Amino acid sequence: MQTLLWHLLAATLIGFAVGLERERAKVERQGSAIGGVRTFTLLGLLGGVSALGPNLWLPAAGLLAVAGLAVYSLRNSRDATSQVAALTVYVLGVLCGLGTVLPALFAGALLLGFLAFHDELHAFAGGIQRSEVEAAVLLALLLGVVYPLLPDANYGPYGVWNPREIWQVVLLVAGVNFVGYLALRLLGSKGLWAAALMGGLVSSTAVTLSMVAQGRANPSRNPLWASGAVLASQMMLGRILVWSATAPALLQILWLPIAVWLLWGLLTAAWLARRDRNVSESIPVQNPLQLQSALLFAGVYALVKLLTRVGLEVFGSAGVFVVSALSGVADVDAISLSLARLTASEQLILQVAAIAILIAALSNTLFKTMLSFGAGRLGVYVALGLLPGGLLALLTMLGR
């Protein structure tokens, strides 16, 4: 019974949030929307309640009723946004009632975002250029045509090169570049930081490479690009804490050094953002896909993966620090999770694993800093935001 009540609460909250936004839009634009906060809240609740029945005829009947209401309200409105939103809220309420709460909440957040950024989306759509359409089509071809044709098998020395895996790196970097471009077009500086944080959840190196490309095209905004690269790296540190949590004893050792590193990075990112003296100016962005940088990074990734395997063969398990340094250049997550699992199974000493994870993070940080010097002075800003924090974290670790 308690679970059902939570499901109904989630359905109601989705309707309430969308209703607040629709109420605001109705007041600002003086439109004749289908309803406001009360109507949408009731629609969400109606969807949740209708899904509690023994069969699906009640949700279907409710959907027909809401659709009829939406069609009727269109007679007094030229904008169908509120009507479609009402139908969506009802369906999301039904999903909550059926127990599919998390996807429904995620879809509700997306719906709220699309509604809230009405003006920005319309301005963006009106300014779409041919190069942007071509970039989107090319990205779709890379994902939907090229990727399925590549073999999912291991080749090369030690079998370390998998064409499909390497192409995933190309798609990752190209996708981060494209998402960052869209965010910059829509939200300016705020969009840059949002894209950096989201991209950092996947690959802070890919975000750094994207910032380097922007720094080459517009070096006067280097503090801004550097703040994006530094922010993305803070997400890398957050991921390390998540992997370390699989071995609680390891997390106890690592949390303080990582917290020190995070604090330094966040403070530096804020300082770099304030140092951007052209904050009132629009941010020029070029080449929304930047496929060349994606291909270059994939090549570096493949080379580092081979060097890592060679390091394992030469040094063996005793060379865990060397292997961590080599592995960290390409992927901190894999080595962090591997060391955490070895520690949890008592196959590796806690202190050794903790230092090895920090070495991997420092190796990755050094690699990103070297990449950032490809845009000249950008490298100085990125180094300031990343390296001192890493050294402080290592000193904190050794001093415990």
Side-chain angles (χ1 to χ4, degrees):
M1 178 60 69
Q2 188 177 15
T3 302
L4 293 179
L5 294 179
W6 281 114
H7 293 173
L8 290 178
L9 179 60
T12 306
L13 287 177
I14 291 174
F16 178 73
V18 175
L20 281 178
E21 196 286 327
R22 288 292 83 192
E23 191 82 46
R24 178 193 63 80
K26 186 166 60 173
V27 172
E28 286 186 357
R29 305 186 185 102
Q30 297 181 349
S32 53
I34 190 173
V37 61
R38 290 179 299 174
T39 302
F40 277 87
T41 302
L42 290 174
L43 285 173
L45 179 60
L46 176 63
V49 171
S50 67
L52 300 181
N55 48 52
L56 294 179
W57 70 264
L58 189 58
L63 181 61
L64 289 176
V66 175
L69 177 64
V71 171
Y72 177 79
S73 67
L74 276 174
R75 299 171 59 185
N76 302 318
S77 176
R78 292 178 294 177
D79 184 9
T81 302
S82 291
Q83 286 73 17
V84 175
L87 287 169
T88 306
V89 165
Y90 175 80
V91 172
L92 294 179
V94 172
L95 289 176
C96 287
L98 293 173
T100 315
V101 177
L102 189 58
L105 290 174
F106 180 75
L110 290 178
L111 171 63
L112 192 61
F114 283 123
L115 294 174
F117 292 105
H118 168 277
D119 296 332
E120 291 82 358
L121 287 171
H122 276 271
F124 175 76
I128 290 179
Q129 302 173 3
R130 182 179 179 86
S131 61
E132 297 164 0
V133 176
E134 291 175 349
V137 172
L138 180 56
L139 186 58
L141 290 174
L142 294 177
L143 176 60
V145 178
V146 178
Y147 178 72
L149 294 176
L150 293 173
D152 187 11
N154 297 324
Y155 300 95
Y158 303 108
V160 297
W161 292 331
N162 184 305
R164 184 169 290 191
E165 179 192 344
I166 294 174
W167 197 252
Q168 287 176 355
V169 176
V170 175
L171 293 173
L172 171 63
V173 178
V176 167
N177 288 340
F178 192 67
V179 170
Y181 171 84
L182 294 179
L184 281 171
R185 280 285 310 272
L186 283 170
L187 303 174
S189 298
K190 294 180 180 178
L192 170 75
W193 298 321
L197 289 172
M198 290 186 295
L201 286 171
V202 183
S203 172
S204 57
T205 308
V207 175
T208 302
L209 202 62
S210 180
M211 296 301 102
V212 169
Q214 297 294 350
R216 289 173 179 167
N218 188 18
S220 65
R221 307 298 297 272
N222 271 341
L224 181 64
W225 312 131
S227 69
V230 173
L231 274 179
S233 286
Q234 307 320 296
M235 301 305 292
M236 175 198 74
L237 298 176
R239 296 199 311 271
I240 289 176
L241 288 179
V242 171
W243 304 136
S244 301
T246 59
L250 179 62
L251 181 61
Q252 280 188 328
I253 297 177
L254 274 176
W255 78 265
L256 182 58
I258 295 296
V260 170
W261 198 344
L262 273 169
L263 181 61
W264 176 273
L266 291 175
L267 291 176
T268 309
W271 176 76
L272 287 168
R274 291 176 61 87
R275 189 177 173 83
D276 180 32
R277 297 170 183 160
N278 303 315
V279 68
S280 61
E281 299 180 4
S282 61
I283 302 176
V285 285
Q286 301 175 357
N287 190 3
L289 197 57
Q290 300 170 355
L291 189 57
Q292 290 181 345
S293 61
L295 291 171
L296 176 62
F297 180 67
V300 173
Y301 169 82
L303 178 60
V304 170
K305 194 174 181 184
L306 174 61
L307 293 176
T308 301
R309 181 56 187 272
V310 172
L312 280 170
E313 294 293 331
V314 173
F315 297 102
S317 58
V320 62
F321 295 146
V322 176
V323 173
S324 296
L326 292 172
S327 300
V329 174
D331 183 18
V332 174
D333 297 289
I335 188 66
S336 298
L337 186 57
S338 299
L339 291 172
R341 287 176 175 173
L342 288 172
T343 301
S345 60
E346 299 182 354
Q347 299 180 46
L348 192 63
I349 300 174
L350 276 174
Q351 194 74 14
V352 173
I355 295 175
I357 288 174
L358 277 184
I359 288 175
L362 281 169
S363 175
N364 185 270
T365 298
L366 185 60
F367 178 60
K368 287 181 291 191
T369 303
M370 292 171 60
L371 284 177
S372 66
F373 275 100
R377 192 170 180 81
L378 175 69
V380 177
Y381 294 128
V382 172
L384 180 62
L386 298 182
L387 295 181
L391 293 176
L392 286 172
L394 189 58
L395 289 175
T396 303
M397 166 70 69
L398 297 175
R400 295 189 75 179

